[in-house]
């Protein structure tokens, strides 16, 4: 099939007539907030992945859905690319602007429209912050489960676009598992309702297709999320190990025993020391790795599971197992984990956060191989991650002011992601592909699979105006990326032989 | 956009050269089992919805994936439509054959390839029966959660195609929530892997898109399902009510209290009497409605929830609440429910099983309206359904030998489904659209939404060879269906005014 858009954005996308666009917007919506001066645009040049920066042509800040419709219609008529953005906390450059495109900022849509206890849902505008939903539902003893680290700031529209995860995904699922209905506008400004208030919906599952589509299929205008009853009790166990492999093995054993923890997180020594130094969480700083295992539910159930998990941890070789004695200690244990990224940030001028998934059984081997790659590239790697669902976040430490270090960090990151694919995992767990991992998509999918993605994209957006250059690489790019690998004299997956 | 296929199958699809097709199949696969004599084809003329019957052109029974690839390539080259089928237990005519098409029967692919405790999954061929997966996983104390009533017979490939549900969907989700990975063949015979062994997978969510696509996007060749640990304990409460509305209200109250039962089922008086007469389950035959509420999990949790649910049921006006005293009584309570369809079948020469969903809050009103419609059409309706997730199964009793009764039953069924849509629900909960409910899709979706479905279909199967005439109506058909309504002097949704 024909590829109808190309991700080599700035080289290929045609130049936009900025004056014509401004006039069209002004004529249609005199009250629309439009930013066009360089100093006003500058704060929008990147999202949470600041390694990539592009100042957009214009920033638009609509306040009514009708304005979003008009913006999309005008951009479609003038063939202007559109990048939608919420709070801009994404970590893969999914909301990276285009030099020749508008940035459509949805943050002013921040109203909670309905909280319904009997239907167990919340209906909200896309700019509502993730945590604000749980706060609004708290008086009914309900909450919204997916909890990305950025939950104080990130918006639900962005969560839908990126299929955001979080510490509790292992038990409660990703964003896609916690949605009932999403309203979107197509590239032509048509309103579509995806999903239903009920459990199932006939026709193709466009709600799931749209979730995680990274702004390539439409713009989110309303979201209905499922709410869950708050667990009665949550307890946290902290286990120390003298090797990361043993900690990795323990993770598999807990799951294989039929226990589904609310959260099951791992940190290695570098991350432990950084977090302890920053937060004073009470972590054992000499451990090679720690596991944090949260068990939630009703009192007696949690009590039983704590006993079973403790036993499994000891059998797996834990040198120490601590149960948080009260809520203050539980919060402190988690604070170390939740602040691990900024804590590691204090160790090094820059760090590069990876986000790959692997089957749990591959955990010990992959951690060993990452340590080897770390030595090979001469860059420290801290591991902090959602071990229970095999979602790894290796943090590669580097100094962008040292010539060549950024490139080395990117290469090492690429090797780690390819390692994830080689053992049967994937190149992103919850951060998305965005601009950052577009080359690694070539390692993840074959030409037939990529062609299917392009066909889906073309079905929704044939001229490729929505967020071009993200998420799905062209076959041309993959051919080039593959060639690069051969050029370096390496097989695409040298790691495959090891597993 | 252009509609690239048409569901007016036998009127529009071109005549197939049967001899040419047979020769091509024979030349390529001399050992393929091909049925072509009328008496051999006859048993395949329908699936579980026997009101629609068509003898297929040919039945093919491949045994190796390479054969399925070849069949698809040959049919694509000769432009022969293909309907894939598993066990044929579907209830919406999704596997109804075509006079001018082949029926591709996947039932010989019945091997369980892997059961993995640590990864908590089973990898199986598409012809494996739903229950066989749980049986194979039982020694590891694991099971596959979705349990359609046909689980003894239905195959997992069909479960994927229809996004099958069951009694336990309320707590454990539909098929789509219990899949990790599906391998498919496209209409051109290309192999695609959808999903990943890990929780998330980058790119568009083709796994969810494919699940429930009713054979229109590809043919399932392998399925990896999630396995869950078996609950320690399951208890069942039976509550009797003197009105169906009170029972409907109780359902909403249980959910609003933050309890998620393993199953929450309702039966009305006609269904209760039929089941009791057939199974002797111990149901109170004078009750207007009963609720069966199963609570599963760990012992103490289940005990607490039983106490809370009993209190809620009494407050909602239950005249009697029974707790199954032992496993034998629990099984007996469920046996009545699970055999309700055949039990109702004993009351009447024919019945028509509907499958709509509604928001739980609409339950009392919709039950009242169904009773009114039942009187209006002069046909008895028994209600047996998954009340907890608002998935209704009204059974319309009729006698096909009485002139006009089948048509009246179909009209009444259509009215009930439109009622479901009018209150914010949908025209199918778990049985699929298939051939049966294609007109009601026009009530469910607007032209823009149907256009999006057609674009997806065209992306996978531009010439519309896979299962044409099912699931997604053409805009032309919807225009005709809408016109029919106006012709009868009714608004499309007269019921809307009532809610």
């Amino acid at each position: 099939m024909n590829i109808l858009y190309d991700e080599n954005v700035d080289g290929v996308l045609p130049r936009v007539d900025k004056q014509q666009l401004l006039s069209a917007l002004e004529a249609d919506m005199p009250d629309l907030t439009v930013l066009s001066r360089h100093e006003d645009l500058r704060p929008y040049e990147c999202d949470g992945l600041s390694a990539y920066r592009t100042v957009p042509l214009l920033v638009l800040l609509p306040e009514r859905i009708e304005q979003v419709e008009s913006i999309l219609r005008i951009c479609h008529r003038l063939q202007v690319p559109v990048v939608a953005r919420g709070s801009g906390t994404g970590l893969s450059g999914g909301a990276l602007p285009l030099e020749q495109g508008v940035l459509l900022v949805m943050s002013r849509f921040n109203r909670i429209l309905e909280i319904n206890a009997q239907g167990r849902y919340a209906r909200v505008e896309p700019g509502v912050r993730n945590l604000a939903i749980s706060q609004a539902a708290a008086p009914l003893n309900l909450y919204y489960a997916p909890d990305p680290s950025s939950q104080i700031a990130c918006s639900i529209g962005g969560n839908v676009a990126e299929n955001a995860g979080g510490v509790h995904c292992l038990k409660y699922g990703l964003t896609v598992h916690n949605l009932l209905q999403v309203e979107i506008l197509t590239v032509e400004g048509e309103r579509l309702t995806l999903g239903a208030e009920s459990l199932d919906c006939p026709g193709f599952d466009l709600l799931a297709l749209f979730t995680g589509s990274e702004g390539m299929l439409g713009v989110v205008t309303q979201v209905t999320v499922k709410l869950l009853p708050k667990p009665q009790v949550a307890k946290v166990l902290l286990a120390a190990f003298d090797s990361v492999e043993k900690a990795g093995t323990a993770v598999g054993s807990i799951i294989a025993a039929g226990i589904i923890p609310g959260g099951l997180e791992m940190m290695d020594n570098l991350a432990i020391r950084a977090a302890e130094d920053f937060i004073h969480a009470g972590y054992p700083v000499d451990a090679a790795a720690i596991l944090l295992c949260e068990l939630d539910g009703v009192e007696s159930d949690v009590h039983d599971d704590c006993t079973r998990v403790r036993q499994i941890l000891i059998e797996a070789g834990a040198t120490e197992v601590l149960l948080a004695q009260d809520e203050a200690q539980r919060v402190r244990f988690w604070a170390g984990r939740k602040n691990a990224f900024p804590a590691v940030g204090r160790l090094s001028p820059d760090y590069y956060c990876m986000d790959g998934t692997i089957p749990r059984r591959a955990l010990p081997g992959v951690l060993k191989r990452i340590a080897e790659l770390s030595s090979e590239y001469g860059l420290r790697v801290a591991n902090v991650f959602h071990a229970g669902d095999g979602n790894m976040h290796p943090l590669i430490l580097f100094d962008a002011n040292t010539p060549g270090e950024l490139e080395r960090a990117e290469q090492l990151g690429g090797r780690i992601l390819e390692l994830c694919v080689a053992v049967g995992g994937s190149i992103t767990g919850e951060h998305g592909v965005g601009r950052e991992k577009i080359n690694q998509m070539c390692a993840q999918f074959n030409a037939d699979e990529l062609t299917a993605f392009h066909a889906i994209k073309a079905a929704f957006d044939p001229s490729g105006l929505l967020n071009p250059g993200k998420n799905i690489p062209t076959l041309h790019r993959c051919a080039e990326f593959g060639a690069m690998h051969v050029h370096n004299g390496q097989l695409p997956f040298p790691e495959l032989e090891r597993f």
Side-chain angles (χ1 to χ4, degrees), chain A:
Chain A
M1 61 156 289
N2 291 317
I3 302 311
L4 296 166
Y5 66 104
D6 192 292
E7 84 289 8
N8 294 310
V9 177
D10 298 318
V12 170
L13 284 181
R15 232 184 147 66
V16 171
D17 184 335
K18 187 170 169 178
Q19 268 318 316
Q20 184 192 25
L21 175 60
L22 279 170
S23 306
L25 293 168
E26 166 71 20
D28 206 70
M29 294 164 283
D31 61 338
L32 176 68
T33 306
V34 178
L35 308 181
S36 67
R37 294 182 314 169
H38 188 80
E39 61 267 37
D40 295 333
L41 296 173
R42 193 66 193 276
Y44 294 93
E45 67 179 356
C46 66
D47 62 11
L49 182 70
S50 57
Y52 294 80
R53 292 166 196 264
T54 309
V55 174
L57 188 73
L58 293 177
V59 169
L60 308 180
L61 289 148
E63 290 172 45
R64 300 187 303 279
I65 297 301
E66 295 68 28
Q67 290 179 326
V68 184
E69 279 178 19
S70 293
I71 290 166
L72 288 166
R73 288 212 188 94
I74 290 168
C75 288
H76 187 253
R77 177 158 52 81
L78 301 179
Q79 293 284 292
V80 177
V82 177
V83 178
R85 167 186 152 133
S87 304
T89 55
L91 291 171
S92 60
L96 180 72
L98 300 170
E99 217 177 277
Q100 296 295 317
V102 305
L103 190 70
L104 177 58
V105 180
M106 299 295 286
S107 52
R108 294 188 177 180
F109 294 92
N110 58 5
R111 286 180 308 162
I112 291 174
L113 303 171
E114 185 188 0
I115 303 273
N116 188 312
Q118 206 185 42
R120 285 249 194 95
Y121 64 80
R123 203 162 49 82
V124 304
E125 291 185 335
V128 169
R129 292 173 304 106
N130 173 298
L131 190 61
I133 300 174
S134 291
Q135 285 167 342
L140 298 166
N141 211 29
L142 297 171
Y143 78 113
Y144 174 62
D147 56 345
S149 301
S150 57
Q151 72 178 138
I152 296 170
C154 65
S155 58
I156 192 73
N159 286 185
V160 171
E162 299 291 330
N163 193 17
V167 164
H168 292 90
C169 279
L170 171 63
K171 185 164 182 177
Y172 298 104
L174 300 162
T175 302
V176 69
H177 305 111
N178 290 278
L179 294 178
L180 281 175
Q181 199 168 61
V182 171
E183 290 189 9
I184 67 161
L185 289 171
T186 67
V187 69
E188 296 175 43
E190 283 168 351
R191 291 188 195 206
L192 296 185
T193 301
L194 314 180
E197 202 189 307
S198 50
L199 186 62
D200 193 15
C201 183
F204 300 132
D205 190 349
L206 300 187
L207 176 59
L209 178 70
F210 189 88
T211 307
S213 63
E214 304 196 2
M216 301 192 82
L217 304 183
V219 176
V220 181
T221 57
Q222 198 181 99
V223 184
T224 305
V225 301
K226 295 178 194 167
L227 299 175
L228 295 181
K230 274 195 216 165
Q232 280 179 23
V233 174
K235 298 268 185 200
V236 173
L237 288 163
L238 185 157
F241 292 86
D242 59 12
S243 87
V244 285
E245 289 85 356
K246 282 182 194 166
T249 305
V251 169
S253 304
I254 291 169
I255 302 294
I259 296 160
I260 308 183
L264 182 51
E265 303 282 312
M266 192 191 294
M267 296 167 70
D268 69 5
N269 182 264
L270 191 53
I272 295 166
R273 285 180 182 270
E276 187 56 26
D277 199 40
F278 185 33
I279 298 292
H280 313 296
Y283 292 169
V285 292
D286 294 327
I290 59 170
L291 286 181
L292 287 172
C293 180
E294 178 157 303
L295 298 157
D296 62 0
V298 289
E299 180 85 46
S300 53
D301 184 8
V302 170
H303 180 80
D304 290 356
D305 277 353
C306 279
T307 310
R308 292 171 67 203
V309 169
R310 179 191 288 274
Q311 191 57 37
I312 292 167
L313 290 166
I314 289 167
E315 280 165 19
T319 53
E320 189 178 6
V321 181
L322 303 170
L323 173 68
Q325 289 304 309
D326 52 29
E327 185 61 12
Q329 194 176 18
R330 188 184 79 86
V331 169
R332 211 156 57 239
F333 279 176
W334 275 121
R337 165 63 188 90
K338 291 199 173 178
N339 290 286
F341 287 15
V344 169
R346 298 167 78 232
L347 298 182
S348 167
D350 301 281
Y351 72 84
Y352 187 32
C353 170
M354 309 307 300
D355 168 48
T357 67
I358 56 171
R360 278 184 294 267
R361 61 178 152 67
L363 214 47
V366 166
L367 289 169
K368 190 153 172 282
R369 180 69 186 134
I370 289 176
E372 291 167 8
L373 287 168
S374 165
S375 307
E376 190 183 318
Y377 282 81
L379 295 172
R380 288 181 298 168
V381 177
N383 284 292
V384 183
F385 60 98
H386 311 312
D389 45 346
N391 185 186
M392 312 191 61
H393 292 311
L395 301 173
I396 302 171
L397 277 54
F398 70 100
D399 180 352
N401 289 323
T402 306
E405 281 218 348
L406 170 61
E407 293 69 26
R408 265 207 338 275
E410 284 188 329
Q411 282 168 26
L412 172 52
R415 289 289 292 278
I416 292 174
L417 293 183
E418 287 157 29
L419 173 62
C420 292
V421 175
V423 300
S426 75
I427 60 165
T428 170
E430 54 188 14
H431 296 176
V433 176
R435 179 72 175 226
E436 179 197 20
K437 276 170 288 194
I438 195 147
N439 285 340
Q440 277 75 33
M441 285 290 278
C442 307
Q444 180 89 56
F445 296 103
N446 67 29
D448 287 340
E449 289 158 350
L450 291 172
T451 300
F453 290 147
H454 285 290
I456 297 286
K457 170 67 172 170
F460 277 82
D461 177 22
S463 29
L465 293 176
L466 294 177
N467 212 12
K470 316 283 172 65
N471 198 7
I472 311 290
T474 60
L475 297 180
H476 178 71
R477 174 180 278 266
C478 286
E480 282 192 343
F481 179 65
M484 186 189 79
H485 267 244
V486 175
H487 179 69
N488 286 352
Q490 297 165 359
L491 283 170
F493 304 121
E495 288 82 2
L496 251 183
E497 295 156 33
R498 309 176 52 92
F499 292 92

